[in-house]
Amino acid sequence: MDPIYITGSGIVSAIGIGKDETLQSLQAARTGIRQMKYLASSHTELPVGEVQLSNEEMMEMLGLEPSPKLSRTALIGSLALKEALEEAGLEGLLNSVHFISATTVGGMDRREIYHSEEKDCDREHAIIATHNCASSTEMIADCFGDFASVSTVSTACSSATNAIITGANMLRSGMAEIVVVGGSECLSMFHLNGFNALMILDHQQCRPFDKDRNGLNLGEGAGYLVMETAESVKKRHIQPKFKLSGYGNACDAYHQTASSPEGTGAFLAMKEALEVAGLGTDDIQYINAHGTGTPNNDESESCAIGRLFADIPPTSSTKSFTGHTTSASGSIEAVICLLALEHQFLPLNLNWHTPMENGFVPVCNQRPAREIKHVLSNAFGFGGNDSSLVLSKCENGYE
């Protein structure tokens, strides 16, 4: 397919504000999963991956007047988007740029505050209407100016990856020359309690792909990529470092919340991503796995990877650093993959001790055995909506 270049990226999560802090945490094997600080939940026994800033601190960093309208999702997303736009040199040039952002929680954190304070909050506060998913995306966009279009994607934990795929399809079809894609998600009592009700939250730091894994830790954060056509980067005289080589999406529709034992959706998504990229399994030097730490996901994903790869490349789950940032996880992990490509290291799989039955040994050593040129990044959602990306280094600028 025609090349899709990545000319900017931004990230905010429990392990740092921006790529520099994120890289330092990854290379120092420093997790961001810790005791709850900002979320007003009674379940303080559950460790989480929180962005280490209050809403007020984020408003100040963004130069925004304090406002009860602004959700934490919007604030976290704005910080990550700011970094991506600055790197791509797009500040003030957004009228031809399309913005596609993913979320599921949206502004639920603000709604919870109003709901707990007043019995008739829906009637008393029209502001509640601004807390849906699309409004969170609009709030992020409004911090920067008028985009050519603004869209929201919500497909559970594959949302941000599907936002990236949507943007790629817009570029390939000629609907756009530049897109900004990714997702943002804050922690809320709504989804902490929901995941807790499913009994898939670990009371300790999560242990992806470990025999004794016992669930996930929820996290929050945002990640965005600026993607452009070859014509656009030539016109703007940019020498890109990375490209989106391939992508795939499949739905096995096996169960509302569980993945199929054979990992059918995951297998098909990874296979399609490689086919679109024109690459074989031997061309992948690292897999950033979905790797939630739940018994079901890790077994299913391991099966899918084993079905596709005769020799499994170095594989890890960086949710052991950030927690599971749900709808934002795909773009956060895409940015982490770009850091791995640029700085030639393998992100570790923290807290792993014992192999799963028929499982693999995840990354325990940061030093790659060979140059990292292509990485595969997985994001799998409820209902079996599974997506994969192939991210690659550009060897000689635009190709």
Side-chain angles (χ1 to χ4, degrees):
M1 70 177 191
D2 292 336
I4 294 174
Y5 293 109
I6 300 168
T7 57
S9 59
I11 185 171
V12 171
S13 75
I15 58 172
I17 310 303
K19 288 184 288 188
D20 289 344
E21 288 185 12
T22 301
L23 177 64
Q24 291 170 18
S25 294
L26 289 168
Q27 293 186 327
R30 185 167 55 243
T31 185
I33 298 169
R34 50 177 72 87
Q35 186 174 5
M36 202 177 294
K37 180 179 179 182
Y38 297 101
L39 183 63
S41 170
S42 60
H43 289 292
T44 54
E45 77 279 6
L46 295 169
V48 292
E50 290 180 300
V51 173
Q52 293 298 291
L53 291 170
S54 68
N55 287 12
E56 292 72 24
E57 288 172 324
M58 286 189 277
M59 289 178 201
E60 185 175 350
M61 289 176 69
L62 291 162
L64 299 174
E65 292 294 323
S67 169
K69 290 185 178 181
L70 290 169
S71 68
R72 191 166 173 87
T73 293
L75 293 168
I76 292 170
S78 296
L79 287 176
L81 182 57
K82 184 174 187 290
E83 182 179 32
L85 293 176
E86 286 177 352
E87 183 181 15
L90 288 176
E91 308 99 301
L93 302 172
L94 300 181
N95 59 351
S96 62
V97 177
H98 300 262
F99 180 46
I100 307 167
S101 187
T103 189
T104 298
V105 169
M108 185 60 71
D109 63 312
R110 304 304 302 164
R111 186 180 185 94
E112 288 170 345
I113 292 172
Y114 284 109
H115 188 270
S116 63
E117 288 179 350
E118 296 191 34
K119 180 180 177 181
D120 297 323
C121 67
D122 285 354
R123 180 174 58 81
E124 296 292 335
H125 293 284
I127 193 173
I128 291 294
T130 69
H131 294 157
N132 59 59
C133 294
S135 292
S136 293
T137 302
E138 292 281 358
M139 288 178 190
I140 297 169
D142 287 346
C143 290
F144 300 95
D146 292 328
F147 286 87
S149 69
V150 177
S151 304
T152 303
V153 173
S154 187
T155 58
C157 302
S158 59
S159 298
T161 300
N162 285 335
I164 293 170
I165 291 173
T166 301
N169 286 332
M170 290 180 69
L171 296 175
R172 291 183 67 190
S173 67
M175 292 177 64
E177 287 193 339
I178 306 175
V179 296
V180 184
V181 290
S184 181
E185 193 95 292
C186 76
L187 280 167
S188 70
M189 291 182 284
F190 168 73
H191 79 302
L192 183 80
N193 292 342
F195 277 85
N196 199 28
L198 291 172
M199 296 184 289
I200 56 173
L201 294 182
D202 200 331
H203 286 61
Q204 302 176 48
Q205 291 185 5
C206 65
R207 303 176 292 284
F209 300 111
D210 191 278
K211 175 180 176 289
D212 299 317
R213 66 197 183 282
N214 196 36
L216 58 88
N217 307 130
L218 281 174
E220 63 182 2
Y224 290 102
L225 306 179
V226 177
M227 303 196 308
E228 306 188 36
T229 62
E231 291 76 11
S232 179
V233 297
K234 289 175 184 176
K235 188 164 41 180
R236 297 204 311 123
H237 305 292
I238 293 172
Q239 293 292 324
K241 297 178 183 177
F242 313 107
K243 61 182 178 179
L244 175 65
S245 297
Y247 48 88
N249 170 264
C251 186
D252 61 18
Y254 171 77
H255 186 273
Q256 285 185 326
T257 59
S259 302
S260 65
E262 304 82 13
T264 301
F267 169 80
L268 292 173
M270 291 187 289
K271 183 172 179 288
E272 182 183 7
L274 289 175
E275 289 172 351
V276 170
L279 298 173
T281 55
D282 291 343
D283 296 312
I284 299 298
Q285 290 84 36
Y286 168 62
I287 300 175
N288 186 289
H290 189 57
T292 61
T294 63
N296 172 255
N297 176 89
D298 292 7
E299 182 176 349
S300 176
E301 187 172 11
S302 295
C303 182
I305 292 171
R307 286 174 63 185
L308 187 60
F309 291 86
D311 294 310
I312 296 176
T315 301
S316 68
S317 169
T318 49
K319 290 179 177 66
S320 57
F321 284 89
T322 64
H324 188 357
T325 55
T326 53
S327 290
S329 61
S331 55
I332 287 172
E333 290 160 23
V335 178
I336 288 173
C337 287
L338 298 184
L339 291 173
L341 283 163
E342 182 173 9
H343 299 278
Q344 291 295 298
F345 74 101
L346 298 170
L348 298 175
N349 195 107
L350 301 179
N351 308 319
W352 183 89
H353 298 290
T354 309
M356 296 164 42
E357 185 177 355
N358 301 319
F360 57 85
V361 176
V363 173
C364 299
N365 185 343
Q366 291 188 17
R367 187 183 298 274
R370 53 182 177 150
E371 183 183 1
I372 305 173
K373 295 182 178 181
H374 307 284
V375 302
L376 183 68
S377 185
N378 290 335
F380 307 143
F382 282 169
N385 192 313
D386 300 332
S387 298
S388 298
L389 307 174
V390 177
L391 300 156
S392 306
K393 283 177 63 178
C394 290
E395 298 298 330
N396 300 299
Y398 30 79
E399 301 162 355

